[in-house]
């Protein structure tokens, strides 16, 4: 019997606005699609939080015994600046500014995306399709929608007819918006002249002569609409209706709303059973934005090369910090919050190491099985990682009481507790042990700490030549020292 047959998982479905018992379309199998990055810049922390939430969900579904096909795409064309209907493709714009071939931009930032996610210990998805690799499928869907009367051609572009669709379907049901209100609140824009209605969105855009990224189609050279790409890739690999579609809250409208409309217009089926949305990440109480300087890239956190944090933090500490909030709630990152997470992370792993060394007795003073079910209950309640972590620290408290001789545990229960903690900490939360998550092996860390100590002594003795020599020699070896109010930290390049 698989674990999913013993546990009742509930998920918050954005489509119904309520928690529902998770019952996949085919027992034992889960199809999950998550909107991936548009690869025109370094992946930012907000995106990482979204992808981390779905990595945790992927891990938990696998842990329960489901066979999961997880599809996360790469958007390498068709995503216009500011999610607009007109203007320049984000990747083409970057290519023009940097005088590169668009696919050079795609390659550079796809590699960055994979590198950062690997550092965060993400499991790779089952399939990672690209938008440019599915142009034919997108053209076929457009033909189908045109044939069914829910789209129209205008000057070499093809638009989805939202008003016509809404006559027999409900456009806006995911975001809770009414089409009449959208129409009333929309002012006509000159760029929308070729559309029948401002609400209509592009399925295919005609490429102007200067547009670099273009493909032949029955309507002339052009490129696909951003919304269409996800419909083509999700339905190709998961079927006309699949279990879970995930993404950030910011994608709910218009992106996911348009995906639903396209799929229903094309094949007549509602494409997704459960819509899951992860919330945003703020920094020091404000929205992250490059323009205001209130932004951090993951690599800047790992290296400590920034003006916002007092020291470098390992990927696992950042991951642990993110897991301490529910994936649907806004999470605020700050230096103090990361320092607190680092302490908690160390406490958790130290307790796990201590557990192996504890003496065992003839009885156990706390019910390990009941505690384990509390951990499952947390995860079964829409993947409630903060409650799970609170339960893990309850086990830490008992481990410390056993160490102090105030409680006892049998050998069997100790081994059981070790396995349970291992599963939840490493397999489900995706954390790594300190010696792999932090800077190299323990031996290297020890050597660098010794050199930091010698450098500190040199500075106290005003021997700045030696102090600078240690810093510079370590830097030449790719080990950067950073002096902060809490002492000196280091990071490997």
């Amino acid at each position: 019997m698989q674990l999913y047959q013993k546990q009742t998982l509930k998920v918050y479905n954005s489509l119904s606005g309520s928690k529902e018992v998770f019952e996949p379309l085919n027992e034992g199998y889960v199809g999950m699609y998550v909107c991936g990055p548009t690869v025109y810049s370094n992946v930012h922390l907000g995106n990482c939080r979204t992808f981390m939430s779905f990595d945790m969900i992927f891990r938990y579904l696998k842990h329960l015994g489901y066979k999961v096909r997880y599809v996360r795409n790469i958007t390498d064309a068709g995503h216009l600046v500011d999610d607009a209907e007109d203007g320049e493709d984000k990747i083409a714009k970057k290519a023009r500014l940097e005088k590169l071939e668009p696919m050079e931009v795609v390659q550079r930032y796809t590699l960055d995306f994979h590198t950062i996610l690997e550092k965060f210990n993400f499991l790779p998805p089952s399939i990672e399709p690209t938008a440019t690799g599915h142009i034919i499928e997108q053209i076929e869907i457009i033909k189908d929608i045109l044939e069914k009367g829910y789209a129209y051609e205008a000057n070499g572009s093809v638009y989805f007819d939202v008003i016509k669709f809404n006559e027999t379907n409900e456009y806006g049901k995911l975001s809770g918006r009414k089409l009449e209100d959208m129409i009333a609140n929309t002012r006509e824009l000159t760029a929308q002249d070729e559309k029948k209605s401002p609400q209509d969105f592009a399925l295919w855009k005609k490429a102007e002569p200067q547009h670099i990224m273009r493909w032949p189609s029955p309507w002339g050279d052009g490129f696909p609409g951003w919304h269409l790409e996800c419909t083509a890739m999700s339905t190709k690999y998961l079927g006309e209706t699949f279990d879970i579609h995930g993404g950030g809250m910011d994608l709910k409208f218009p992106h996911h709303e348009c995906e639903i409309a396209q799929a229903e217009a094309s094949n007549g089926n509602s494409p997704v059973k459960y819509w899951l949305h992860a919330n945003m990440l703020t920094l020091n109480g404000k929205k992250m934005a490059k323009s205001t300087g209130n932004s951090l890239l993951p690599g800047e956190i790992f290296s400590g090369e920034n003006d916002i944090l007092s020291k470098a933090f390992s990927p696992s500490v950042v991951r642990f910090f993110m897991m301490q909030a529910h994936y649907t709630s806004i999470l605020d990152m700050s230096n103090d919050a990361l320092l607190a997470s680092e302490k908690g992370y160390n406490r958790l792993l130290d307790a796990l190491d201590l557990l192996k060394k504890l003496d065992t007795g003839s009885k156990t003073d706390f019910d390990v099985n009941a505690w384990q079910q509390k951990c499952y209950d947390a995860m079964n309640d829409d993947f409630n990682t903060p409650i799970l972590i609170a339960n893990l620290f309850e086990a830490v408290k008992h481990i410390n009481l056993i160490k102090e001789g105030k409680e006892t545990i049998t050998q069997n229960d100790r081994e059981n507790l070790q396995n349970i903690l291992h599963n939840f900490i490493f397999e489900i939360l995706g954390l790594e042990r300190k010696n792999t998550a932090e800077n190299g092996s323990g031996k290297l860390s020890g050597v660098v700490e010794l050199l930091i100590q010698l450098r500190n002594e040199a500075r106290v003795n005003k021997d700045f030549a030696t102090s600078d020599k240690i810093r510079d020699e370590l830097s030449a070896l790719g080990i950067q020292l950073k002096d902060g109010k809490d002492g000196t930290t280091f990071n490997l390049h």
Side-chain angles (χ1 to χ4, degrees):
M1 183 182 271
Q2 295 288 355
L3 259 175
Y4 66 77
Q5 293 167 303
K6 303 175 192 172
Q7 304 292 336
T8 303
L9 171 63
K10 289 186 176 181
V11 300
Y12 182 83
N13 188 353
S14 298
L15 191 58
S16 65
S18 61
K19 282 183 192 172
E20 299 175 13
V21 174
F22 179 68
E23 293 174 338
L25 295 162
N26 299 299
E27 190 184 337
Y29 294 85
V30 176
M32 180 167 81
Y33 183 87
V34 173
C35 295
T38 301
V39 281
Y40 70 102
S41 65
N42 297 105
V43 63
H44 63 75
L45 270 174
N47 273 349
C48 287
R49 188 201 175 190
T50 295
F51 300 134
M52 191 178 291
S53 297
F54 288 100
D55 179 66
M56 171 271 294
I57 289 168
F58 180 38
R59 285 170 173 274
Y60 189 59
L61 292 170
K62 282 166 66 75
H63 174 80
L64 290 178
Y66 288 112
K67 288 184 170 63
V68 187
R69 178 178 286 177
Y70 175 21
V71 182
R72 187 187 65 215
N73 76 298
I74 296 284
T75 297
D76 57 353
H79 193 163
L80 301 186
V81 174
D82 297 326
D83 304 339
E85 279 296 320
D86 292 276
E88 204 165 5
D89 184 291
K90 288 184 175 185
I91 291 158
K93 182 179 180 183
K94 188 81 167 187
R96 179 175 56 76
L97 291 172
E98 299 194 9
K99 294 183 171 54
L100 295 170
E101 177 69 29
M103 284 303 139
E104 283 184 85
V105 173
V106 166
Q107 179 72 359
R108 175 191 297 175
Y109 294 114
T110 301
L111 285 172
D112 168 73
F113 175 66
H114 288 147
T115 300
I116 294 298
L117 265 53
E118 198 174 306
K119 287 184 178 176
F120 274 129
N121 196 33
F122 281 47
L123 296 177
S126 319
I127 303 172
E128 193 172 52
T130 63
T132 56
H134 296 76
I135 299 291
I136 292 168
E137 288 87 346
Q138 291 168 70
I139 289 172
E140 290 304 311
I141 291 174
I142 297 171
K143 285 183 188 172
D144 196 29
I145 296 173
L146 276 166
E147 193 179 305
K148 287 172 178 163
Y150 292 116
Y152 56 92
E153 186 187 349
N155 302 324
S157 294
V158 181
Y159 294 98
F160 189 91
D161 192 335
V162 170
I163 292 173
K164 178 74 186 294
F165 173 78
N166 203 57
E167 289 172 5
T168 50
N169 298 271
E170 187 188 351
Y171 181 77
K173 61 185 173 186
L174 180 67
S175 57
R177 302 179 186 217
K178 294 283 179 205
L179 185 57
E180 311 83 70
D181 297 337
M182 291 186 236
I183 292 169
N185 294 329
T186 305
R187 57 189 178 89
E188 289 289 343
L189 301 174
T190 52
Q192 293 173 328
D193 284 350
E194 63 187 23
K195 293 185 190 180
K196 290 181 181 176
S197 162
Q199 275 65 46
D200 295 349
F201 56 88
L203 298 174
W204 187 264
K205 287 290 289 180
K206 177 186 178 180
E208 298 303 326
Q210 71 275 14
H211 199 94
I212 317 171
M213 302 178 84
R214 58 205 297 140
W215 290 266
S217 81
W219 316 283
D221 279 7
F223 53 94
W226 172 40
H227 313 309
L228 185 71
E229 297 169 349
C230 285
T231 295
M233 290 182 278
S234 60
T235 55
K236 172 165 183 173
Y237 297 109
L238 298 173
E240 289 184 356
T241 303
F242 53 94
D243 299 300
I244 296 173
H245 193 313
M249 293 264 190
D250 56 322
L251 298 181
K252 196 184 284 188
F253 186 90
H255 186 51
H256 291 162
E257 201 74 73
C258 294
E259 280 190 61
I260 292 174
Q262 289 163 166
E264 289 184 352
S266 173
N267 59 48
N269 293 324
S270 185
V272 178
K273 194 170 179 186
Y274 305 98
W275 285 90
L276 273 54
H277 289 96
N279 216 323
M280 66 187 291
L281 182 71
T282 57
L283 181 61
N284 291 324
K286 296 175 190 166
K287 187 178 177 181
M288 279 200 244
K290 282 184 193 172
S291 56
T292 60
N294 193 54
S295 71
L296 268 177
L297 289 173
E300 293 171 337
I301 299 179
F302 307 154
S303 69
E305 293 175 4
N306 63 79
D307 299 323
I308 295 173
L309 305 176
S310 62
K311 54 172 283 190
F313 293 93
S314 74
S316 262
V317 165
V318 180
R319 184 171 181 124
F320 183 64
F321 160 73
M322 291 192 184
M323 291 291 116
Q324 286 178 293
H326 193 268
Y327 77 96
T328 61
S329 59
I330 294 172
L331 173 62
D332 186 50
M333 177 178 275
S334 67
N335 188 65
D336 288 348
L338 284 170
L339 286 170
S341 288
E342 187 172 55
K343 282 181 185 168
Y345 164 78
N346 288 333
R347 259 184 74 210
L348 193 58
L349 295 199
D350 288 347
L352 190 57
D353 290 337
L354 174 63
L355 181 58
K356 298 173 196 169
K357 303 167 191 167
L358 290 180
D359 293 329
T360 55
S362 57
K363 66 183 180 75
T364 299
D365 290 318
F366 81 107
D367 190 331
V368 175
N369 290 329
W371 167 82
Q372 177 186 25
Q373 190 53 50
K374 278 173 69 179
C375 292
Y376 278 116
D377 289 346
M379 289 302 291
N380 292 337
D381 183 17
D382 193 30
F383 315 102
N384 200 325
T385 54
I387 299 296
L388 167 66
I389 289 168
N391 289 331
L392 296 179
F393 279 112
E394 186 188 333
V396 170
K397 181 185 79 176
H398 286 292
I399 290 167
N400 287 322
L401 287 171
I402 295 163
K403 178 198 169 193
E404 293 161 12
K406 294 174 183 173
E407 284 187 9
T408 59
I409 192 168
T410 64
Q411 185 171 337
N412 188 51
D413 276 340
R414 184 183 71 176
E415 288 170 7
N416 192 19
L417 183 56
Q418 263 177 246
N419 289 335
I420 299 165
L421 283 168
H422 185 277
N423 286 341
F424 281 105
I425 294 169
F426 303 122
E427 190 180 314
I428 294 166
L429 291 179
L431 303 178
E432 292 183 283
R433 289 192 176 277
K434 284 187 278 186
N435 62 351
T436 57
E438 292 176 358
N439 303 313
S441 68
K443 287 181 181 175
L444 176 60
S445 297
V447 170
V448 177
E449 293 291 353
L450 176 61
L451 287 167
I452 288 172
Q453 192 180 326
L454 293 172
R455 178 172 172 261
N456 288 341
E457 288 170 8
R459 291 164 85 189
V460 168
N461 296 327
K462 297 193 168 18
D463 181 2
F464 298 115
T466 302
S467 163
D468 291 348
K469 186 173 179 6
I470 291 170
R471 182 198 62 211
D472 296 343
E473 293 286 345
L474 285 173
S475 181
L477 293 168
I479 301 168
Q480 186 209 12
L481 300 186
K482 182 172 182 179
D483 299 315
K485 60 183 180 186
D486 297 320
T488 302
T489 57
F490 73 94
N491 207 77
L492 300 180
H493 288 313

